[in-house]
Amino acid sequence: MSKNLVIVESPAKAKTIEGYLGKDFKVASSYGHVRDLPKGDKAIDVKNRFKPTYEVTPDKKEVIKNLKSLVKDAETIYLASDDDREGEAISWHLKEVLNLKDSNTKRIVFREITKNAIIKAIENPRGIDYDLVNAQQARRILDRLVGFELSPILWKKIKTGLSAGRVQSVAVRLIVEREREIEHHNSKSSFRITAIFEVEGKTFQAELPKKFETKAEAEAFLKNCLQAEFSVANLEKKPTKKTPAPPFTTSTLQQEASRKLYFSVAQTMSVAQKLYEAGKISYMRTDSVNLSEDAMNSAKNAITSGYGANYHKSRKFTTKTEGAQEAHEAIRPTDFSVHNVSGERNEQRLYELIWKRAIASQMSDAELEKTTITVKISNSPQNLIATGEVIKFDGFLKVYLEDTDEEPEEDEAGDKSLLPPLNIGQALNLQEMKGRETFSRPAPRYTEASLVKKLEELGIGRPSTYAPTISTIQKREYVIKESRDGTSRNYVEMTIAKGNFKESAKTEITGAEKQKLFPTNIAMVVNDFLVEHFPNVIDFSFTARVEKEFDDIAAGGQNWEDMIGSFYGKFHQSVEETELVSRQDINSSRLIGVHPVNGKNMTARLGRFGPLVQIGEADDEEKQFASMKKGQFIENITMEEALELFKLPRDIGMFEDKKMVAAVGRFGPYVRHDGAFYSLAKEQDPLSITEAEAIELIQNKREADAKKHIKSFEENPEIQILNGRWGPYIKLGKDNFKIPKGKEAESLTYAETLEIIEAQPDATKKKGKFAKKKS
C-alpha cells in the first residue's frame, strides 16, 4: 500500500504525475471541484457576513467516497491542484470534505508537469493559502448574488429564462455598443492616389500621402499628371529593428491561436489543457510574461545549437497587466529541445505555436533597412512617396512573426519590401496612376480573440474567466458567432496610362464578416435595461475595480466579507427599486408605423420565441405576427422590411400531393411538408425558394436521415445505433456512447449494446433506463 497520496484535479494529470513518482506514491483525481454553492436562496447567509454553505455536488459523491478510502491508508496527503485561486479553493474544499488533518496534509504547487518540477514540489510543500481561497470565494459569492438577484428581475420585467452576470453582462455590453456604433456609422468617401513606376524593367508603387475628399479634386490632379514628368527628389535609408513579442499569456495565446489557427477561445484552452496535463507545456492560465532562469537557459541552448550564437539574445519581459503575478511564468514548452509533439493534430499545431513564440522571445532583433523615396511631380507642388524594407539580418523572424487584428485597406498593396536601386534626380517612367474611391469604415465587430483583448485592456476578468465568459454569452443566446456575406457597393476608379485618362464604375463586396460576434435582440433589450437600472453592475471601470479588489484579497490586503458588503448594499437597493418598475415602462418594443392598407399599428417586440413584428394592438382579435429574420433588430427594422415578413408563411407548391410551405420559426427559416420541417440552407431565402429547390431540400434530408440510422431494437426503442460525424455510435435517450474499436456497428446485438453502455464510466445510468419495455 502506498504511504503517500497525491490528489490532483484531472485523471490525465494524475496519470502523467504517477509516472514520475515511485511505488510509495498513489496519485488520484478529484475530477475538478468537489463542492459548490447549492441552488436556491439558502446558499449564502447575507445577514451573517455572507457566510456560504457548500454541498458536495451529486456527481462527486462517489469520487469523495473513493478518496476517503484512499486517505485512510495514507500516511501523508499532498493536495496538488492547480497553482491559482481556483486550484487553491479545490485544495481547501478537499481538506474540508475529507476531514484532513494539518499534521499530515501538505499543499504542493508546480507550473509544469515534469519530473523535476514534481519532485521539487514534494520537497517544498506549504500550507493552504487562505488569502487565495478567500479571493476565489469572494468571486464565487459575488457572482452568485448578482446572478441570483438579477435574473428573476429579468424574468419578471423582460422574458422568462434570462440570466445576467457580473462579467458576462459587461462583455455583452461591449458587443451591443460596437453593433450600434457600426449601425450609426456614416461612411464617407475619399480618393486614394497610387502610381506604378518602371525603372529598367522593374516596377514599384508610390502613393500620395493625402487623400482627396472629392472626385473633382482627384480627377483634376490625375489629368494634371498627364503632362507631368517624374523623378527621384529624395532617397533616404535608415536602419531599423524589430523586436520579438513576449512569450504567451492566456490572453495572447487565445488571440494568436484565433488568428493563426482559427481556434475558438474555448478550443484553445481545451487543447492547451491537454498539452499541460501531458507535461508538454507550463500552466496555461497565467497573465505573466516572465520566464524562469532555467527556461531562459534551455531556450539559449536550443537557439545556439539550432541557429547559431548570433541568433540568441537573453530577454526579460515585464507584464503590463495590472494584478499580474510575476512569480508565475508565461506559457512555454517544458523542454525547448522538443520542437514537435505527438498527439492529435490540433495539439501539435498549438504546441508549435507556443514553442515558436517562446523561443523567438529569446532571439536577436531583426535588423532591417527602411528606404523612403520621394517622387517629384514636375508640374505640382505635391510629391508621391514610396517605402520599402529589406531584411539585413532575420533574427527572431527566422522563427516567428506575430499577427495583428488590423484589417487591410481596400486596394492596399501586398509586398512593398522590394524597391529597385535608384539615384536622386533619376527620371521615372509612369506606367499608370489610379485614383480609387475608398470609404471610411467603422470599428470592426469583435472576434472572440479581440473581445478577450478588449476585456484585458479594460481590466475585466482574469486568465481563468475569459473562455467561460465568452462561452456563456453564446450559450445563453445573447451573442451569435458566425460568418456573414457582404453586400455589393459601387465605387469609382480613374486611371491615367500612356497619355490617356479613363474613368470606370466598378463594384466591390463590402461588410463580409468571418466568425464575428453579433448581438441578438434580447442582448440589446437586456443591456439597455441593465444600463438604466443597474449602471454599476455593467460599468466598465466599476467591474475592473472589483477585479482589483479580488487581487487585493488574494494578496492579503483586504477582508473578503467587507468587500462583498460594500458592493451588496447598493446593489440590493437597486434590485428593490427596480421591482417597482412597471413592465410597460421597459423599452422592449418599438412602434414601426401604421400599416399602409389596414391602418393598424405595426410594432417590433420580443415574443416568447424571439423578436417579431405585430400588426394590431394586444387586444385586437385579428392581430397578426411574423418572426423577424436573423440580423434584423427591433430598434431599427424599417416599415418595408417589416411588411416583407408578412409574405410568410408562403405556399411554394406541391410535392407527393401535399403542400410545401416556407416560413421562419424559432430556429430560422424552414419548409414544412406533410407535418415535417426542413431547415433552409444558409444561402436560401424563404421568400424566394422555388418548388424545385424545396423538393431537392426534402429529398436530401430524407436521404441523410436514412444513412444516419443504422439499427434500433424492439427490446428498447430508445436505444439506437446511428452514424455521426465521427463514425457510428450508440444513442440512449439524450446520451451518446462510443462503439469500441473492432466492433462492427451493423452486427451489434441488443445485449452487446447494453454491455458497451454499462462499461463506459461516463454513462448516465438512471434507474429503469436499461429495462426492457413492457408491451
Side-chain angles (χ1 to χ4, degrees):
M1 184 58 66
S2 303
K3 294 178 182 177
N4 304 289
L5 174 65
V6 179
I7 305 176
V8 297
E9 292 106 322
S10 78
K13 194 172 167 183
K15 187 178 178 183
T16 306
I17 292 172
E18 199 159 55
Y20 297 140
L21 298 173
K23 57 180 174 25
D24 288 338
F25 287 83
K26 166 71 178 172
V27 186
S29 169
S30 71
Y31 295 84
H33 277 279
V34 294
R35 287 201 307 182
D36 198 4
L37 298 169
K39 292 180 180 178
D41 59 357
K42 306 296 183 195
I44 301 163
D45 188 350
V46 174
K47 293 178 181 176
N48 188 18
R49 299 272 287 163
F50 307 100
K51 184 181 178 182
T53 298
Y54 293 105
E55 287 182 1
V56 174
T57 52
D59 60 324
K60 295 299 167 66
K61 287 184 177 176
E62 192 66 28
V63 172
I64 293 299
K65 184 180 174 184
N66 293 336
L67 288 175
K68 280 183 175 179
S69 174
L70 293 170
V71 164
K72 281 180 188 174
D73 300 321
E75 291 179 11
T76 307
I77 297 97
Y78 293 92
L79 300 174
S81 47
D82 288 338
D83 183 15
D84 57 14
R85 294 171 199 173
E86 290 292 322
E88 207 67 26
I90 288 172
S91 284
W92 174 68
H93 283 298
L94 283 167
K95 185 172 183 286
E96 294 287 306
V97 173
L98 299 174
N99 297 313
L100 302 180
K101 297 171 185 172
D102 288 337
S103 57
N104 69 338
T105 302
K106 302 177 187 295
R107 170 80 170 114
I108 59 170
V109 293
F110 39 84
R111 301 295 292 184
E112 59 183 59
I113 303 175
T114 59
K115 187 168 185 177
N116 285 344
I118 301 304
I119 299 300
K120 192 174 178 182
I122 294 282
E123 291 171 350
N124 296 278
R126 62 168 173 82
I128 287 173
D129 186 332
Y130 287 96
D131 290 330
L132 292 180
V133 173
N134 288 337
Q136 190 274 345
Q137 277 201 112
R139 178 187 292 280
R140 184 73 188 94
I141 290 167
L142 187 62
D143 288 350
R144 168 59 73 89
L145 288 170
V146 170
F148 190 76
E149 297 207 8
L150 263 191
S151 297
I153 290 283
L154 297 179
W155 301 351
K156 291 175 191 172
K157 306 299 179 185
I158 299 173
K159 187 172 179 269
T160 305
L162 295 177
S163 70
R166 190 181 51 81
V167 177
Q168 79 171 51
S169 297
V170 175
V172 170
R173 181 180 184 181
L174 284 168
I175 294 164
V176 167
E177 289 186 353
R178 179 58 56 86
E179 192 67 29
R180 285 174 173 157
E181 193 181 329
I182 293 167
E183 178 64 31
H184 296 136
H185 176 75
N186 289 320
S187 188
K188 292 182 179 178
S189 72
S190 58
F191 286 80
R192 177 172 174 246
I193 305 295
T194 57
I196 296 175
F197 294 100
E198 183 190 6
V199 180
E200 298 176 358
K202 294 181 179 178
T203 61
F204 70 94
Q205 180 174 295
E207 183 173 338
L208 196 68
K210 74 164 206 172
K211 289 183 177 182
F212 292 111
E213 291 186 6
T214 66
K215 176 176 173 289
E217 289 175 304
E219 185 175 339
F221 177 82
L222 288 168
K223 286 181 175 177
N224 184 57
C225 286
L226 282 168
Q227 315 302 324
E229 293 179 349
F230 303 89
S231 60
V232 178
N234 193 29
L235 196 153
E236 189 179 352
K237 291 186 178 182
K238 277 185 181 176
T240 63
K241 288 184 177 182
K242 274 188 180 171
T243 304
F248 284 128
T249 62
T250 303
S251 163
T252 53
L253 176 64
Q254 289 168 346
Q255 292 167 50
E256 197 73 341
S258 172
R259 298 181 195 119
K260 285 189 185 305
L261 308 180
Y262 305 105
F263 283 7
S264 69
V265 166
Q267 184 182 11
T268 298
M269 295 312 291
S270 172
V271 176
Q273 179 94 26
K274 289 177 184 175
L275 289 171
Y276 167 65
E277 290 176 347
K280 305 300 182 187
I281 63 169
S282 58
Y283 191 49
M284 66 285 156
R285 292 189 185 92
T286 177
D287 46 17
S288 173
V289 290
N290 188 39
L291 289 179
S292 67
E293 289 295 332
D294 287 348
M296 290 170 69
N297 289 331
S298 177
K300 179 183 178 180
N301 293 336
I303 293 163
T304 51
S305 63
Y307 306 103
N310 60 326
Y311 276 90
H312 174 256
K313 182 176 180 179
S314 182
R315 300 173 193 274
K316 284 203 169 188
F317 294 91
T318 305
T319 304
K320 294 175 184 176
T321 307
E322 196 174 347
Q325 300 173 68
E326 289 296 350
H328 292 166
E329 278 195 83
I331 303 168
R332 59 164 177 81
T334 53
D335 184 352
F336 279 93
S337 68
V338 177
H339 292 213
N340 302 293
V341 295
S342 58
E344 293 177 3
R345 175 72 182 130
N346 283 343
E347 289 174 42
Q348 295 171 7
R349 293 169 72 206
L350 192 66
Y351 178 83
E352 183 183 16
L353 188 68
I354 291 166
W355 184 89
K356 285 182 174 180
R357 175 80 166 225
I359 206 89
S361 76
Q362 298 300 303
M363 292 179 75
S364 304
D365 291 338
E367 296 173 12
L368 306 101
E369 184 179 75
K370 184 177 181 181
T371 304
T372 303
I373 297 168
T374 304
V375 178
K376 183 182 178 183
I377 305 169
S378 62
N379 60 357
S380 172
Q382 302 193 68
N383 295 320
L384 298 162
I385 303 294
T387 59
E389 279 182 349
V390 176
I391 296 173
K392 294 292 188 180
F393 174 65
D394 53 3
F396 77 94
L397 292 177
K398 197 171 193 74
V399 173
Y400 183 82
L401 179 62
E402 184 180 25
D403 279 1
T404 69
D405 290 315
E406 299 296 316
E407 296 184 7
E409 195 170 335
E410 294 100 338
D411 198 37
E412 191 170 307
D415 184 7
K416 294 185 181 179
S417 62
L418 298 175
L419 291 172
L422 295 166
N423 300 307
I424 293 175
Q426 185 172 351
L428 300 172
N429 177 37
L430 178 69
Q431 270 196 352
E432 70 170 21
M433 187 182 288
K434 282 183 181 179
R436 187 191 190 280
E437 188 177 16
T438 63
F439 300 87
S440 64
R441 294 187 291 188
R445 289 181 175 89
Y446 289 107
T447 60
E448 286 191 352
S450 63
L451 181 61
V452 166
K453 186 179 180 182
K454 185 66 175 177
L455 289 169
E456 187 178 43
E457 284 171 359
L458 292 170
I460 295 166
R462 287 295 179 263
S464 61
T465 65
Y466 298 135
T469 297
I470 286 170
S471 296
T472 297
I473 62 178
Q474 292 177 66
K475 203 182 297 176
R476 293 179 175 167
E477 298 182 352
Y478 285 123
V479 171
I480 299 167
K481 182 178 79 171
E482 64 183 5
S483 298
R484 290 186 184 175
D485 297 333
T487 55
S488 182
R489 176 173 67 188
N490 297 325
Y491 70 94
V492 173
E493 185 175 87
M494 297 173 285
T495 309
I496 60 168
K498 297 178 181 178
N500 296 313
F501 173 86
K502 180 185 173 186
E503 182 180 319
S504 308
K506 296 190 173 184
T507 59
E508 63 184 351
I509 299 298
T510 184
E513 300 282 22
K514 186 174 181 181
Q515 294 300 293
K516 294 290 182 73
L517 300 175
F518 296 85
T520 60
N521 276 279
I522 197 70
M524 292 184 154
V525 172
V526 169
N527 176 72
D528 292 350
F529 174 79
L530 293 176
V531 167
E532 183 178 354
H533 298 285
F534 297 92
N536 267 6
V537 173
I538 207 163
D539 178 72
F540 302 134
S541 58
F542 176 80
T543 308
R545 198 158 62 247
V546 169
E547 292 291 349
K548 176 69 171 62
E549 292 187 66
F550 290 148
D551 294 341
D552 290 344
I553 294 166
Q558 188 169 355
N559 177 281
W560 75 267
E561 291 102 334
D562 292 343
M563 180 260 172
I564 300 279
S566 65
F567 168 87
Y568 184 74
K570 293 176 184 175
F571 169 69
H572 186 67
Q573 185 180 342
S574 296
V575 171
E576 290 179 332
E577 289 170 357
T578 310
E579 288 273 14
L580 305 174
V581 176
S582 166
R583 187 163 183 162
Q584 283 71 37
D585 294 337
I586 294 165
N587 187 25
S588 61
S589 65
R590 169 180 153 259
L591 179 65
I592 302 168
V594 175
H595 193 283
V597 177
N598 60 29
K600 294 180 179 180
N601 282 343
M602 292 185 67
T603 308
R605 66 175 180 83
L606 279 177
R608 186 181 172 192
F609 299 116
L612 56 83
V613 174
Q614 178 178 313
I615 300 174
E617 301 299 334
D619 56 359
D620 185 345
E621 291 182 4
E622 296 181 352
K623 58 183 176 288
Q624 294 173 270
F625 306 96
S627 294
M628 287 165 61
K629 288 158 66 173
K630 187 170 65 177
Q632 290 181 329
F633 292 113
I634 290 169
E635 62 187 51
N636 58 24
I637 187 170
T638 64
M639 175 64 78
E640 184 182 1
E641 290 167 338
L643 289 170
E644 193 79 6
L645 297 174
F646 285 91
K647 293 180 180 176
L648 298 173
R650 165 180 159 257
D651 289 351
I652 304 170
M654 302 293 288
F655 177 51
E656 297 172 342
D657 296 326
K658 292 185 175 66
K659 192 187 290 186
M660 295 183 294
V661 177
V664 176
R666 184 183 179 187
F667 303 108
Y670 63 87
V671 169
R672 186 176 72 247
H673 174 260
D674 194 20
F677 297 85
Y678 303 87
S679 294
L680 267 59
K682 185 180 175 183
E683 67 277 3
Q684 290 177 319
D685 188 330
L687 291 166
S688 59
I689 188 169
T690 64
E691 183 178 74
E693 289 169 339
I695 291 170
E696 185 182 4
L697 182 77
I698 293 166
Q699 289 175 331
N700 288 345
K701 179 70 167 61
R702 287 176 178 176
E703 192 177 328
D705 286 348
K707 287 179 180 176
K708 184 178 180 181
H709 186 271
I710 297 173
K711 200 170 188 179
S712 53
F713 301 93
E714 286 184 10
E715 295 95 325
N716 187 347
E718 273 194 59
I719 297 180
Q720 300 178 74
I721 301 176
L722 304 174
N723 246 323
R725 187 179 177 188
W726 312 113
Y729 64 96
I730 298 167
K731 185 176 180 67
L732 169 58
K734 292 182 179 179
D735 299 321
N736 299 330
F737 302 91
K738 289 180 183 176
I739 296 175
K741 285 181 181 178
K743 297 271 187 184
E744 285 189 15
E746 293 83 357
S747 60
L748 285 175
T749 65
Y750 178 65
E752 286 174 322
T753 61
L754 290 186
E755 284 175 20
I756 291 169
I757 291 168
E758 291 175 326
Q760 294 190 23
D762 56 346
T764 309
K765 301 175 183 177
K766 293 179 182 175
K767 190 177 179 183
K769 210 171 206 183
F770 305 104
K772 187 174 179 178
K773 299 287 179 185
K774 292 181 180 179
S775 54

